[in-house]
PDB file of all heavy atoms in Angstrom:
ATOM      1  N   PHE W 133     256.038 143.460  73.180  1.00 97.00           N
ATOM      2  CA  PHE W 133     255.643 144.704  72.487  1.00 97.00           C
ATOM      3  C   PHE W 133     256.871 145.537  72.110  1.00 97.00           C
ATOM      4  O   PHE W 133     256.920 146.124  71.020  1.00 97.00           O
ATOM      5  CB  PHE W 133     254.694 145.513  73.351  1.00 97.00           C
ATOM      6  CG  PHE W 133     253.270 145.036  73.304  1.00 97.00           C
ATOM      7  CD1 PHE W 133     252.628 144.576  74.449  1.00 97.00           C
ATOM      8  CD2 PHE W 133     252.554 145.036  72.118  1.00 97.00           C
ATOM      9  CE1 PHE W 133     251.316 144.135  74.409  1.00 97.00           C
ATOM     10  CE2 PHE W 133     251.241 144.585  72.056  1.00 97.00           C
ATOM     11  CZ  PHE W 133     250.618 144.136  73.209  1.00 97.00           C
ATOM     12  N   GLU W 153     251.756 158.275  71.008  1.00 97.00           N
ATOM     13  CA  GLU W 153     252.821 157.992  71.976  1.00 97.00           C
ATOM     14  C   GLU W 153     252.265 157.291  73.213  1.00 97.00           C
ATOM     15  O   GLU W 153     252.845 156.322  73.707  1.00 97.00           O
ATOM     16  CB  GLU W 153     253.539 159.277  72.368  1.00 97.00           C
ATOM     17  CG  GLU W 153     254.718 159.026  73.310  1.00 97.00           C
ATOM     18  CD  GLU W 153     255.431 160.302  73.729  1.00 97.00           C
ATOM     19  OE1 GLU W 153     254.964 161.407  73.350  1.00 97.00           O
ATOM     20  OE2 GLU W 153     256.450 160.194  74.443  1.00 97.00           O
ATOM     21  N   GLN W 154     251.133 157.773  73.730  1.00 98.00           N
ATOM     22  CA  GLN W 154     250.588 157.164  74.944  1.00 98.00           C
ATOM     23  C   GLN W 154     250.120 155.734  74.685  1.00 98.00           C
ATOM     24  O   GLN W 154     250.281 154.861  75.541  1.00 98.00           O
ATOM     25  CB  GLN W 154     249.432 157.987  75.521  1.00 98.00           C
ATOM     26  CG  GLN W 154     248.946 157.437  76.868  1.00 98.00           C
ATOM     27  CD  GLN W 154     247.993 158.370  77.590  1.00 98.00           C
ATOM     28  OE1 GLN W 154     247.796 159.512  77.182  1.00 98.00           O
ATOM     29  NE2 GLN W 154     247.407 157.892  78.672  1.00 98.00           N
ATOM     30  N   MET W 155     249.548 155.480  73.517  1.00 98.00           N
ATOM     31  CA  MET W 155     249.153 154.103  73.182  1.00 98.00           C
ATOM     32  C   MET W 155     250.365 153.182  73.192  1.00 98.00           C
ATOM     33  O   MET W 155     250.324 152.076  73.741  1.00 98.00           O
ATOM     34  CB  MET W 155     248.488 154.075  71.810  1.00 98.00           C
ATOM     35  CG  MET W 155     247.140 154.752  71.737  1.00 98.00           C
ATOM     36  SD  MET W 155     246.533 154.808  70.018  1.00 98.00           S
ATOM     37  CE  MET W 155     245.056 155.805  70.191  1.00 98.00           C
ATOM     38  N   ARG W 156     251.458 153.634  72.576  1.00 98.00           N
ATOM     39  CA  ARG W 156     252.677 152.819  72.555  1.00 98.00           C
ATOM     40  C   ARG W 156     253.208 152.591  73.964  1.00 98.00           C
ATOM     41  O   ARG W 156     253.574 151.477  74.333  1.00 98.00           O
ATOM     42  CB  ARG W 156     253.767 153.511  71.709  1.00 98.00           C
ATOM     43  CG  ARG W 156     253.479 153.555  70.226  1.00 98.00           C
ATOM     44  CD  ARG W 156     254.752 153.917  69.450  1.00 98.00           C
ATOM     45  NE  ARG W 156     255.314 155.202  69.845  1.00 98.00           N
ATOM     46  CZ  ARG W 156     254.973 156.372  69.304  1.00 98.00           C
ATOM     47  NH1 ARG W 156     254.058 156.428  68.344  1.00 98.00           N
ATOM     48  NH2 ARG W 156     255.546 157.497  69.705  1.00 98.00           N
ATOM     49  N   GLU W 157     253.250 153.667  74.759  1.00 98.00           N
ATOM     50  CA  GLU W 157     253.775 153.546  76.116  1.00 98.00           C
ATOM     51  C   GLU W 157     252.925 152.621  76.971  1.00 98.00           C
ATOM     52  O   GLU W 157     253.437 151.907  77.839  1.00 98.00           O
ATOM     53  CB  GLU W 157     253.889 154.931  76.763  1.00 98.00           C
ATOM     54  CG  GLU W 157     254.951 155.824  76.143  1.00 98.00           C
ATOM     55  CD  GLU W 157     256.341 155.215  76.232  1.00 98.00           C
ATOM     56  OE1 GLU W 157     256.727 154.757  77.326  1.00 98.00           O
ATOM     57  OE2 GLU W 157     257.046 155.188  75.200  1.00 98.00           O
ATOM     58  N   ASP W 158     251.604 152.637  76.756  1.00 98.00           N
ATOM     59  CA  ASP W 158     250.723 151.704  77.469  1.00 98.00           C
ATOM     60  C   ASP W 158     251.169 150.268  77.240  1.00 98.00           C
ATOM     61  O   ASP W 158     251.215 149.450  78.173  1.00 98.00           O
ATOM     62  CB  ASP W 158     249.275 151.851  76.988  1.00 98.00           C
ATOM     63  CG  ASP W 158     248.548 153.034  77.598  1.00 98.00           C
ATOM     64  OD1 ASP W 158     249.176 153.774  78.388  1.00 98.00           O
ATOM     65  OD2 ASP W 158     247.360 153.221  77.290  1.00 98.00           O
ATOM     66  N   LEU W 159     251.477 149.936  75.995  1.00 98.00           N
ATOM     67  CA  LEU W 159     251.851 148.569  75.644  1.00 98.00           C
ATOM     68  C   LEU W 159     253.265 148.244  76.124  1.00 98.00           C
ATOM     69  O   LEU W 159     253.524 147.142  76.609  1.00 98.00           O
ATOM     70  CB  LEU W 159     251.730 148.371  74.137  1.00 98.00           C
ATOM     71  CG  LEU W 159     250.315 148.611  73.577  1.00 98.00           C
ATOM     72  CD1 LEU W 159     250.325 148.566  72.056  1.00 98.00           C
ATOM     73  CD2 LEU W 159     249.322 147.599  74.136  1.00 98.00           C
ATOM     74  N   TYR W 160     254.168 149.212  76.011  1.00 98.00           N
ATOM     75  CA  TYR W 160     255.544 148.994  76.468  1.00 98.00           C
ATOM     76  C   TYR W 160     255.616 148.839  77.988  1.00 98.00           C
ATOM     77  O   TYR W 160     256.556 148.220  78.500  1.00 98.00           O
ATOM     78  CB  TYR W 160     256.448 150.160  76.054  1.00 98.00           C
ATOM     79  CG  TYR W 160     256.638 150.328  74.567  1.00 98.00           C
ATOM     80  CD1 TYR W 160     256.940 151.574  74.021  1.00 98.00           C
ATOM     81  CD2 TYR W 160     256.517 149.249  73.689  1.00 98.00           C
ATOM     82  CE1 TYR W 160     257.127 151.737  72.655  1.00 98.00           C
ATOM     83  CE2 TYR W 160     256.691 149.411  72.321  1.00 98.00           C
ATOM     84  CZ  TYR W 160     256.995 150.654  71.803  1.00 98.00           C
ATOM     85  OH  TYR W 160     257.172 150.822  70.453  1.00 98.00           O
ATOM     86  N   HIS W 161     254.654 149.422  78.698  1.00 97.00           N
ATOM     87  CA  HIS W 161     254.632 149.346  80.163  1.00 97.00           C
ATOM     88  C   HIS W 161     253.458 148.499  80.655  1.00 97.00           C
ATOM     89  O   HIS W 161     252.951 148.722  81.767  1.00 97.00           O
ATOM     90  CB  HIS W 161     254.559 150.748  80.775  1.00 97.00           C
ATOM     91  CG  HIS W 161     255.773 151.571  80.552  1.00 97.00           C
ATOM     92  ND1 HIS W 161     255.927 152.388  79.446  1.00 97.00           N
ATOM     93  CD2 HIS W 161     256.922 151.689  81.261  1.00 97.00           C
ATOM     94  CE1 HIS W 161     257.101 152.992  79.500  1.00 97.00           C
ATOM     95  NE2 HIS W 161     257.726 152.579  80.601  1.00 97.00           N
ATOM     96  N   PHE W 162     253.040 147.552  79.832  1.00 96.00           N
ATOM     97  CA  PHE W 162     251.909 146.692  80.211  1.00 96.00           C
ATOM     98  C   PHE W 162     251.987 146.329  81.694  1.00 96.00           C
ATOM     99  O   PHE W 162     253.045 145.961  82.199  1.00 96.00           O
ATOM    100  CB  PHE W 162     251.907 145.424  79.361  1.00 96.00           C
ATOM    101  CG  PHE W 162     250.947 144.394  79.875  1.00 96.00           C
ATOM    102  CD1 PHE W 162     249.604 144.484  79.576  1.00 96.00           C
ATOM    103  CD2 PHE W 162     251.387 143.363  80.692  1.00 96.00           C
ATOM    104  CE1 PHE W 162     248.710 143.556  80.090  1.00 96.00           C
ATOM    105  CE2 PHE W 162     250.501 142.435  81.209  1.00 96.00           C
ATOM    106  CZ  PHE W 162     249.160 142.534  80.902  1.00 96.00           C
ATOM    107  N   GLU W 163     250.862 146.425  82.381  1.00 94.00           N
ATOM    108  CA  GLU W 163     250.872 146.335  83.840  1.00 94.00           C
ATOM    109  C   GLU W 163     249.616 145.633  84.352  1.00 94.00           C
ATOM    110  O   GLU W 163     248.495 145.979  83.983  1.00 94.00           O
ATOM    111  CB  GLU W 163     250.953 147.761  84.400  1.00 94.00           C
ATOM    112  CG  GLU W 163     250.865 147.886  85.886  1.00 94.00           C
ATOM    113  CD  GLU W 163     252.000 147.168  86.582  1.00 94.00           C
ATOM    114  OE1 GLU W 163     253.153 147.305  86.149  1.00 94.00           O
ATOM    115  OE2 GLU W 163     251.713 146.464  87.567  1.00 94.00           O
ATOM    116  N   SER W 200     249.392 157.898  84.416  1.00 97.00           N
ATOM    117  CA  SER W 200     249.334 157.240  83.112  1.00 97.00           C
ATOM    118  C   SER W 200     250.717 156.743  82.726  1.00 97.00           C
ATOM    119  O   SER W 200     251.706 157.012  83.421  1.00 97.00           O
ATOM    120  CB  SER W 200     248.833 158.222  82.052  1.00 97.00           C
ATOM    121  OG  SER W 200     249.843 159.181  81.765  1.00 97.00           O
ATOM    122  N   SER W 201     250.804 156.062  81.591  1.00 97.00           N
ATOM    123  CA  SER W 201     252.101 155.571  81.120  1.00 97.00           C
ATOM    124  C   SER W 201     253.033 156.711  80.746  1.00 97.00           C
ATOM    125  O   SER W 201     254.252 156.524  80.663  1.00 97.00           O
ATOM    126  CB  SER W 201     251.910 154.640  79.920  1.00 97.00           C
ATOM    127  OG  SER W 201     251.256 155.318  78.851  1.00 97.00           O
ATOM    128  N   MET W 202     252.491 157.906  80.547  1.00 97.00           N
ATOM    129  CA  MET W 202     253.314 159.077  80.210  1.00 97.00           C
ATOM    130  C   MET W 202     253.871 159.766  81.455  1.00 97.00           C
ATOM    131  O   MET W 202     254.701 160.668  81.351  1.00 97.00           O
ATOM    132  CB  MET W 202     252.478 160.077  79.413  1.00 97.00           C
ATOM    133  CG  MET W 202     251.869 159.522  78.133  1.00 97.00           C
ATOM    134  SD  MET W 202     253.135 159.080  76.940  1.00 97.00           S
ATOM    135  CE  MET W 202     253.747 160.701  76.506  1.00 97.00           C
ATOM    136  N   MET W 216     252.503 152.350  85.886  1.00 95.00           N
ATOM    137  CA  MET W 216     251.273 152.890  85.303  1.00 95.00           C
ATOM    138  C   MET W 216     250.065 152.315  86.044  1.00 95.00           C
ATOM    139  O   MET W 216     250.029 151.121  86.347  1.00 95.00           O
ATOM    140  CB  MET W 216     251.248 152.494  83.819  1.00 95.00           C
ATOM    141  CG  MET W 216     249.927 152.671  83.125  1.00 95.00           C
ATOM    142  SD  MET W 216     250.041 152.181  81.380  1.00 95.00           S
ATOM    143  CE  MET W 216     250.294 150.420  81.529  1.00 95.00           C
ATOM    144  N   TYR W 218     246.681 153.013  84.936  1.00 97.00           N
ATOM    145  CA  TYR W 218     245.528 152.852  84.047  1.00 97.00           C
ATOM    146  C   TYR W 218     245.979 153.069  82.612  1.00 97.00           C
ATOM    147  O   TYR W 218     246.948 153.783  82.338  1.00 97.00           O
ATOM    148  CB  TYR W 218     244.416 153.847  84.402  1.00 97.00           C
ATOM    149  CG  TYR W 218     244.838 155.293  84.332  1.00 97.00           C
ATOM    150  CD1 TYR W 218     244.710 156.040  83.152  1.00 97.00           C
ATOM    151  CD2 TYR W 218     245.398 155.933  85.437  1.00 97.00           C
ATOM    152  CE1 TYR W 218     245.125 157.370  83.086  1.00 97.00           C
ATOM    153  CE2 TYR W 218     245.813 157.254  85.382  1.00 97.00           C
ATOM    154  CZ  TYR W 218     245.673 157.970  84.209  1.00 97.00           C
ATOM    155  OH  TYR W 218     246.097 159.266  84.143  1.00 97.00           O
ATOM    156  N   TYR W 219     245.270 152.418  81.698  1.00 98.00           N
ATOM    157  CA  TYR W 219     245.535 152.600  80.270  1.00 98.00           C
ATOM    158  C   TYR W 219     244.799 153.838  79.755  1.00 98.00           C
ATOM    159  O   TYR W 219     243.821 154.301  80.370  1.00 98.00           O
ATOM    160  CB  TYR W 219     245.059 151.396  79.465  1.00 98.00           C
ATOM    161  CG  TYR W 219     245.692 150.085  79.830  1.00 98.00           C
ATOM    162  CD1 TYR W 219     244.908 149.002  80.224  1.00 98.00           C
ATOM    163  CD2 TYR W 219     247.071 149.911  79.764  1.00 98.00           C
ATOM    164  CE1 TYR W 219     245.479 147.782  80.546  1.00 98.00           C
ATOM    165  CE2 TYR W 219     247.646 148.697  80.088  1.00 98.00           C
ATOM    166  CZ  TYR W 219     246.843 147.634  80.482  1.00 98.00           C
ATOM    167  OH  TYR W 219     247.406 146.425  80.796  1.00 98.00           O
ATOM    168  N   LEU W 220     245.227 154.321  78.615  1.00 97.00           N
ATOM    169  CA  LEU W 220     244.510 155.406  77.945  1.00 97.00           C
ATOM    170  C   LEU W 220     243.044 155.032  77.752  1.00 97.00           C
ATOM    171  O   LEU W 220     242.161 155.877  77.881  1.00 97.00           O
ATOM    172  CB  LEU W 220     245.165 155.690  76.586  1.00 97.00           C
ATOM    173  CG  LEU W 220     244.471 156.708  75.677  1.00 97.00           C
ATOM    174  CD1 LEU W 220     244.428 158.085  76.350  1.00 97.00           C
ATOM    175  CD2 LEU W 220     245.183 156.792  74.328  1.00 97.00           C
ATOM    176  N   ALA W 221     242.780 153.768  77.484  1.00 96.00           N
ATOM    177  CA  ALA W 221     241.406 153.298  77.262  1.00 96.00           C
ATOM    178  C   ALA W 221     240.523 153.507  78.484  1.00 96.00           C
ATOM    179  O   ALA W 221     239.298 153.636  78.358  1.00 96.00           O
ATOM    180  CB  ALA W 221     241.417 151.815  76.871  1.00 96.00           C
ATOM    181  N   TYR W 441     244.661 150.133  68.449  1.00 98.00           N
ATOM    182  CA  TYR W 441     245.114 150.074  69.851  1.00 98.00           C
ATOM    183  C   TYR W 441     244.206 149.162  70.675  1.00 98.00           C
ATOM    184  O   TYR W 441     244.673 148.314  71.434  1.00 98.00           O
ATOM    185  CB  TYR W 441     245.125 151.501  70.407  1.00 98.00           C
ATOM    186  CG  TYR W 441     245.189 151.647  71.909  1.00 98.00           C
ATOM    187  CD1 TYR W 441     246.348 151.351  72.623  1.00 98.00           C
ATOM    188  CD2 TYR W 441     244.087 152.137  72.614  1.00 98.00           C
ATOM    189  CE1 TYR W 441     246.408 151.522  74.000  1.00 98.00           C
ATOM    190  CE2 TYR W 441     244.142 152.313  73.987  1.00 98.00           C
ATOM    191  CZ  TYR W 441     245.294 152.008  74.679  1.00 98.00           C
ATOM    192  OH  TYR W 441     245.355 152.180  76.048  1.00 98.00           O
ATOM    193  N   LEU W 445     244.846 145.624  72.708  1.00 97.00           N
ATOM    194  CA  LEU W 445     244.399 145.387  74.086  1.00 97.00           C
ATOM    195  C   LEU W 445     243.473 144.177  74.157  1.00 97.00           C
ATOM    196  O   LEU W 445     243.443 143.481  75.185  1.00 97.00           O
ATOM    197  CB  LEU W 445     243.693 146.618  74.654  1.00 97.00           C
ATOM    198  CG  LEU W 445     244.556 147.829  75.006  1.00 97.00           C
ATOM    199  CD1 LEU W 445     243.707 148.920  75.650  1.00 97.00           C
ATOM    200  CD2 LEU W 445     245.702 147.448  75.938  1.00 97.00           C
TER     201      LEU W 445
END
Side-chain angles (χ1 to χ4, degrees):
F133 279 118
E153 184 181 4
Q154 186 169 351
M155 292 174 186
R156 291 195 301 272
E157 292 300 312
D158 280 1
L159 300 173
Y160 295 154
H161 293 90
F162 169 81
E163 175 62 45
S200 72
S201 59
M202 303 295 291
M216 166 179 68
Y218 59 90
Y219 300 123
L220 174 62
Y441 164 71
L445 288 184

